[in-house]
Amino acid sequence: MATKKYVYFFGGGKAEGRGDQKQLLGGKGAGLAEMTNIGLPVPPGFTLTTESCSSYYKDGKKWPAGLKKQVQDNLRKLEKTTGKKLGDPKDPLLVSVRSGASVSMPGMMETILNLGLNDQSVEGQAAKTSNPRFAYDGYRRFIMMYASTAMGLSKDEFEGAFDEFKETVVAKRLKRKKGEPVQDTEVNADELKRLCDELKKKYKKMVGSAFPQNPWDQLVGAINAVFNSWMAEKAITYRKIEKFSEIDAGGTGVNICTMVFGNKGETSGTGVAFTRDPNTGKNEFYGDYLFNAQGEDVVAGIRTPVKLTELRKRNKTVYSQIMDVRAKLETHYKDMQDLEFTVEEGHLYMLQTRRGKRTPMATFKMAADMVKEGLITEQEAICRVTPEDIERLFYPDIDPKLSKAELTKSALTAGINAVPGAAAGQVYFTASEAETAAANGQRVVLVRKETSPEDVGGMSAAKGILTQTGGKTSHAAVVARGWGKCCIVGCESLQIDYKKKRMKIGGKTIKQGDFVTLNGSNGEVYGGDLPLVDPTLPKEFKTIMKWVDKYRTVNVRTNADTPEDAAKALEMGAEGIGLCRTEHMFFETQARIDAIRQMIIAENIEDRVKALDKLLPFQRKDFEGIFTVMKGRPVTIRLIDPPLHEFVPHDEKGQKDLAKKIGVPFAKVKSRVEQLHEFNPMLGHRGCRLAITYPEILEMQVRAIMEAACNVAKKKVAVNPEIMIPLTMAQQEMQILSERVKAVADEVLASKKMTKKKIPYLVGTMIEIPRAALIADKIAETAEFFSFGTNDLTQTTMGLSRDDAGRFLPDYVDETKAGVFKADPFQVLDQEGVGMLVKMGIEKGRTTRPKMKIGICGEHGGELESVKFCVRIGMNYVSCSPYRVPIARLAAAQQAVENAV
Amino acid sequence: MATKKYVYFFGGGKAEGRGDQKQLLGGKGAGLAEMTNIGLPVPPGFTLTTESCSSYYKDGKKWPAGLKKQVQDNLRKLEKTTGKKLGDPKDPLLVSVRSGASVSMPGMMETILNLGLNDQSVEGQAAKTSNPRFAYDGYRRFIMMYASTAMGLSKDEFEGAFDEFKETVVAKRLKRKKGEPVQDTEVNADELKRLCDELKKKYKKMVGSAFPQNPWDQLVGAINAVFNSWMAEKAITYRKIEKFSEIDAGGTGVNICTMVFGNKGETSGTGVAFTRDPNTGKNEFYGDYLFNAQGEDVVAGIRTPVKLTELRKRNKTVYSQIMDVRAKLETHYKDMQDLEFTVEEGHLYMLQTRRGKRTPMATFKMAADMVKEGLITEQEAICRVTPEDIERLFYPDIDPKLSKAELTKSALTAGINAVPGAAAGQVYFTASEAETAAANGQRVVLVRKETSPEDVGGMSAAKGILTQTGGKTSHAAVVARGWGKCCIVGCESLQIDYKKKRMKIGGKTIKQGDFVTLNGSNGEVYGGDLPLVDPTLPKEFKTIMKWVDKYRTVNVRTNADTPEDAAKALEMGAEGIGLCRTEHMFFETQARIDAIRQMIIAENIEDRVKALDKLLPFQRKDFEGIFTVMKGRPVTIRLIDPPLHEFVPHDEKGQKDLAKKIGVPFAKVKSRVEQLHEFNPMLGHRGCRLAITYPEILEMQVRAIMEAACNVAKKKVAVNPEIMIPLTMAQQEMQILSERVKAVADEVLASKKMTKKKIPYLVGTMIEIPRAALIADKIAETAEFFSFGTNDLTQTTMGLSRDDAGRFLPDYVDETKAGVFKADPFQVLDQEGVGMLVKMGIEKGRTTRPKMKIGICGEHGGELESVKFCVRIGMNYVSCSPYRVPIARLAAAQQAVENAV
């Protein structure tokens, strides 16, 4: 059996590997191969594949059969290419040994430089370079790296020895005072040579055998060190945290590369660069260069590098070489690249290339520019943008000029980053006080243990919201996200004392009126009024979004409950309303709250109808506003959904006030509220179940919708209402309610002398209970459209309460703990389970009604992967909060592009 | 096109219809046809099909084409057969016109007798019978029936006219004092004739036309009257209540039958009989006979009938005729029949036969006897028994000798009949007081607003349980059912005052210590200590259950948490334990509750493990007891399932006591309890989610199970533990937990020097969340068995909280309201929705593990239709509470018999 190919050579203008072999060669190895192939100056070398590493682990930390010979063969080839020999006492070949996995794991794995030096070759190196100090400094570094990396000895031991050497021997020569430090550069060649001897002694004492002089042994030790670093605890943990754990079974590549030196005088140097400006996206070469230095020195930050423009002035030849490389790389990779290079005595050597990280602003500019330049297509440009890029364009941020120290000083605590952006303002602990303060012109941050629908007024008035409990899909988070308002939730270290109007965080106390600043992007909470910067939309945002709309195949609607939200969403590109929640309207004014409460407390249908009659004009006015803004675009209105106890006061004072206001005994209010209590409100008397028991509520709402539609239509504005019945679970339930809706709707049309042709209303349902998805074919017999409510569908399909899951769901998502799920299923749709039901629901629904309009209106409608899934399984539209509309548009376009491939 | 056949003739020993055509001919019509065909003496006649009625409605209350001619033809045939003519002035044919639907609807529809009488024919009838009084009394009845039934005139009007006639004309003749009543029988022929004239005048005045003299018009009017009675409001409501609504679109048959008269002297008479004793089941003819009377008179109860034995003495010929009929009917129908017959001048005429209603005792005796007699097969005998028959055999009952008046006097209120049987005892309002009273020898009825796991001691001590809230699957109902203990729940009219130790029901007050009596079979609550009778099992119960076990193909296990429950279940025929809930064990003694609470309050793993160590010996002992009783039968043990807050005290006093007892500050206990609060505990931190966050709980439980298994096995008793992980929702979750279980189990085996061969334990899971069913193929990769927890699966699949659904689910099940579901899905498995998921789960599970053992352990495991469904979809066993084991065995056998057909 032929042995597997474990080693890929690069050098002499040709490489065995390719840039698209990241899985096999690791990111660094693939980059080196690709650069070699396109004719860039890469120091020759070879890469051990990631498979050689995984075989190493499979075989109990042994090299797989054939690997030794392949490394030997490639080493010979490298010696032939460079004309030097590893360990040659005259002019030795020196190599670096570096790890390189298929994904970037910065700082997680090991590197060994200057391999090939030993007691003889260091002398040759000294003679050849006429620079004994350079040679012995290299040897010193190699011994130290090898000891710690390959042998696992304590780094501190060797660093300590070096320090001690400097403090005694060197300080003495330099006549330093006690305590006055000695720089590494002040150690001379002889001293370094003596230091090398001491380090080797230390090595022998600790390991039990002498420091390896045989270069082959050195190489084997270094390769094993890289292999072993793959399964070091910190690397495993890193992969868990970054959710790469599935590659644990893979491995890292090992890159053996001819050493080049940027520290050989003023004609040498080292640099890092981006092919375009990663901050602005401008088509300008951007980078730093350090004369007479090695890569390590740039990282260490000992000297300040110069801009590349400085290099142009001081070394035109090298500058023009690197400009050529820049052009070649961009033409080849068709994207902005992040490079590392070294110049050895005027010769440029490329050490790394990879896709460059960039700001959201730059992402848009570069993608648009590259299309203009003919470098990429519009479709490719679309796929370059991420949801985070869009998100970060829209939100204010804490002034990036603020130093880390300043931030650290102000930091108070951190919670869950529910809605990004930043907010600074004075703290208020109740919604009403927040509203008053905001009305007085204050910037307000509302702080609550948790929020409820009664708090929406204060939430709306606040610049930012901070809660002690809840997760990313708690009430506070969902409402705030709808408004694009900075929000931090689940900040468990808050100890709020509503009575004393203050909170404690650790030892600190924040009183009402004190300033805090929230960073919703990372969940940090700061004391004080930190400066913020406002977002500015680059003009390329518009360009790219135009392409997005050109390619996407499904509609994007919005979840909006008010004309203001609707207008905002239109601005964001929404094409309709996918979810208008009628119940939020009930909280807008006291008169509305009073009326709905009166309706709930009513003991008989007559009293209930009286209260509903008061609500009708409010609802009608709301719908008129929304229809007017939406100008004929479809508007899906969901009939009342939450359990009635969400509308009533649960404290004695509130109940007494209500009793007085509506003129019924307090005891009756109290007993009705108690009667409304539910053990599991999520699975309780809500949704269309309310319409089954109280048909009069449904009738009022449908009347309000249809009267509003008629009134607006009479002003020559087109109207397309879609009346949506929530929480359906059975065929007959849907049929009964659909008939009730149509009866009222048709009656209103007739009385207003309108026709269904002029107002082509639809009656459909949310699919948000597993049973509804399972029997979707039967529900589709009367439902004219489906909207998947994946928030509740996730709760029921997984048996997970969104309000309570905070206690254990983090363990389920955290790969370092149980790690059962890749992501919080309330944020990213669980395609495997919930998604299977959604798919089933669509397929079954369309067996009955083949052209049925189907959408999604849960939180997932604005999340990349979830939207892409919805497109793949054949939905007609997705709906999300106004600020996520651009993200949904992007996701839909990306999936359309992928589908077209 | 040939017209449809709408009319079926019977007479002259032959009928066009058959007994199995109930759907077409109605029950009565099919019975008449069948009896005619098997040679029984049936007065000739013909039946209009139910289709003629449904066509009548479809065509807007018009007779379908061809019906008129078919009725005319059959009438002619009837006249030919009887040798008489309808309306013949000499010797008229008289007929009865009766409704008869495919299901029995007693008293719901109309009957008209003596049709064919008019002013001429009544004279002929008088002459022919030489009995003018008889003839005119018939005419009088006919006019009255026709007026009210066919013309819809007020019955009271005509009855009133008759009464007035008696009070004036007749009373005068008889010289009665004012107020002294006149009997119908005292009205003489002349008077009746005069009365008929007056009634006809009244008829003409009210209707506007004369009483029809043309017999054909009479017949058409009577047939239409029967058709119209089908859609009378009371009939529609009756069908809704009895859940026959789907036949609304059908119709009733109409039976036109030659009149026979039992009131023609001592050689005539009428009777009702059962072919066997319906109370005891003994093979003895059983019935009543009234000499010289019509059927109406028996119903009216004016004279007391005699036993059939008396008939034998007084008229051997007739008696032997009816004995022949009895034999023929049983041989033919192979079941006990309920008959109606009339003897006209020594000739027997059969008017009706149908399956006779019977007591549970009689059901078993007759079924067993008929097998012995060779009348039916064992399989048929199995299918004769219903779950209610079994249920009612096992429970005590209020003494049936108690008169209705006595019961009515004692009645207090009624709730939901959760567990049948009866109980009488003194009322206690707390579990502890109930326990104390029971310990003092009192019979106790525990009355609570609702029960919780902390109440199980008191519930166990009580004879019966009464709660104010909850439905048939509330905690109280489920626990009581497990014990076969009489229980009434959801008795909303109770106003319990725990402080004053009393309750009000309407105006009455029941204090602690007062006696009440519960009838769990119908939900009635009585004041006082009513006498009860104990159940006795007929020996035929054993016979039939032996056959049941012979034919059924799936196993029946039990849900049992204690050795006592397990022993009871074995007695009931259980073949294993399908669900042993470990958490109930925690409430058995104070020491256990204290230990679990200490575990919950613990702030770190060390403290938690300390508390768990205290629990371990308790659990081990419980399991030893259960394994010992079960002697090697499989025992499925579910790891801890409920959310932890169910175990902690929620009142301040309880929390303070606990704090003292376990030596932690009260504030800590309080805050931990608050922290445990959940909005939707059903969807919260429970089931295996506890084992994910607190692996130490799982470890303790598995250790207890396996140590118990080893200890029992060492005593040479076989042990078959099946460790069940609750609430699984994901593949990796199951995998992680399965590995944890196996690690502990194998460690225990090794340390006890046992092997898996000796204790072949399994690790499986409950499927009780939709997602688990959807991905059952993946879960089956580690799960070695499935048990469907259809209680929770119903809650999640339908989005219905069992604890809260009481507020609206009744409307969903009540056909007179929304009527969305046929039955409460928590009692009868929702085959359409939940059942689809169960089926999917089984199929997917078996794609991975083809021979996987699969069962059900929800409440549905003891319900007839649900068990049959489980058998059909391929489960290996069902599990239910001990007292329902015989029902599950029966259901499984009935399905097996059906499958074999």
Side-chain angles (χ1 to χ4, degrees), chain A residues 114-322:
Chain A
N114 300 329
L115 189 142
L117 287 176
N118 58 18
D119 294 351
Q120 279 78 52
S121 65
V122 71
E123 287 292 337
Q125 177 83 346
K128 187 80 189 169
T129 59
S130 314
N131 190 344
R133 196 198 170 278
F134 166 73
Y136 275 100
D137 190 47
Y139 196 24
R140 187 264 309 170
R141 290 174 197 242
F142 173 50
I143 296 168
M144 288 172 74
M145 278 187 198
Y146 192 89
S148 68
T149 300
M151 304 314 294
L153 304 180
S154 159
K155 217 171 193 161
D156 293 344
E157 281 277 350
F158 286 81
E159 293 285 0
F162 187 20
D163 287 344
E164 206 195 315
F165 185 83
K166 286 189 285 187
E167 283 161 25
T168 52
V169 181
V170 188
K172 198 175 167 191
R173 172 175 63 77
L174 297 171
K175 300 190 175 126
R176 287 282 154 83
K177 284 184 205 143
K178 197 172 163 116
E180 215 177 323
V182 172
Q183 299 304 319
D184 288 7
T185 45
E186 294 174 304
V187 189
N188 68 23
D190 284 345
E191 284 162 347
L192 282 168
K193 189 175 174 183
R194 198 174 135 196
L195 175 63
C196 286
D197 288 340
E198 287 190 15
L199 292 174
K200 282 184 286 174
K201 266 185 221 149
K202 192 171 189 67
Y203 179 98
K204 187 171 179 186
K205 199 171 152 201
M206 291 178 81
V207 175
S209 59
F211 184 79
Q213 292 295 318
N214 180 336
W216 173 254
D217 292 345
Q218 293 175 353
L219 186 59
V220 171
I223 289 172
N224 285 342
V226 173
F227 281 168
N228 290 336
S229 70
W230 178 251
M231 280 299 181
E233 210 175 305
K234 65 173 179 178
I236 294 174
T237 305
Y238 180 87
R239 290 194 293 269
K240 272 189 178 165
I241 290 167
E242 297 291 317
K243 315 221 168 214
F244 298 152
S245 282
E246 76 272 22
I247 65 165
D248 274 2
T252 179
V254 187
N255 299 291
I256 289 112
C257 200
T258 309
M259 285 293 299
V260 288
F261 298 95
N263 53 350
K264 284 192 174 171
E266 282 306 299
T267 58
S268 300
T270 188
V272 293
F274 294 88
T275 56
R276 301 187 185 211
D277 186 329
N279 294 314
T280 63
K282 278 189 191 154
N283 192 356
E284 290 170 358
F285 203 24
Y286 179 97
D288 293 326
Y289 187 76
L290 208 51
F291 286 95
N292 192 18
Q294 277 191 288
E296 286 182 283
D297 303 327
V298 180
V299 178
I302 296 165
R303 283 162 28 201
T304 309
V306 299
K307 297 262 162 260
L308 282 173
T309 38
E310 185 66 20
L311 176 64
R312 176 161 58 176
K313 286 186 208 143
R314 286 170 57 180
N315 193 332
K316 271 217 171 123
T317 334
V318 169
Y319 185 78
S320 79
Q321 280 183 67
I322 183 78

Side-chain angles (χ1 to χ4, degrees), chain A residues 450 645 672 674-686 688-690 692-693 727 729-733 736-737 740 769-772 774-775 778 795-805 807-809 811-812 817-821 830 832-834 836-837 840 844, chain B residues 450 645 672 674-686 688-690 692-693 727 729-733 736-737 740 769-772 774-775 778 795-805 807-809 811-812 817-821 830 832-834 836-837 840 844:
Chain A
E450 67 204 12
H645 55 74
R672 177 71 176 139
E674 274 171 17
Q675 195 198 336
L676 288 173
H677 167 78
E678 292 186 305
F679 293 99
N680 295 290
M682 166 66 210
L683 309 176
H685 194 190
R686 50 174 287 241
C688 70
R689 294 163 192 178
L690 294 172
I692 289 282
T693 33
L727 214 74
M729 64 168 158
Q731 175 177 21
Q732 209 181 333
E733 182 188 46
I736 291 168
L737 296 177
R740 284 186 194 162
I769 283 186
R771 193 180 195 275
L774 291 166
I775 61 156
K778 292 172 187 164
Q795 297 198 73
T796 45
T797 305
M798 305 183 75
L800 268 186
S801 165
R802 203 167 65 172
D803 296 317
D804 303 311
R807 202 163 298 146
F808 57 92
L809 197 58
D811 284 357
Y812 272 74
K817 297 192 178 165
V820 171
F821 298 121
D830 160 39
E832 184 187 13
V834 180
M836 187 190 295
L837 265 186
M840 200 183 279
K844 289 196 169 194
Chain B
E450 66 205 9
H645 55 74
R672 176 70 176 140
E674 273 170 17
Q675 197 197 334
L676 287 174
H677 167 77
E678 291 186 307
F679 293 100
N680 295 291
M682 168 66 210
L683 309 176
H685 194 192
R686 51 175 285 241
C688 69
R689 296 163 191 181
L690 295 171
I692 289 282
T693 32
L727 215 75
M729 65 169 156
Q731 175 178 20
Q732 210 181 333
E733 180 188 47
I736 290 168
L737 296 176
R740 284 186 194 165
I769 283 185
R771 193 178 196 275
L774 291 167
I775 59 155
K778 293 172 187 163
Q795 297 197 73
T796 45
T797 305
M798 305 182 79
L800 268 187
S801 165
R802 203 166 66 172
D803 296 316
D804 302 311
R807 204 162 298 147
F808 56 92
L809 197 57
D811 283 357
Y812 272 75
K817 297 191 178 167
V820 171
F821 297 121
D830 160 39
E832 183 186 15
V834 180
M836 188 191 293
L837 266 185
M840 200 184 279
K844 290 197 169 192

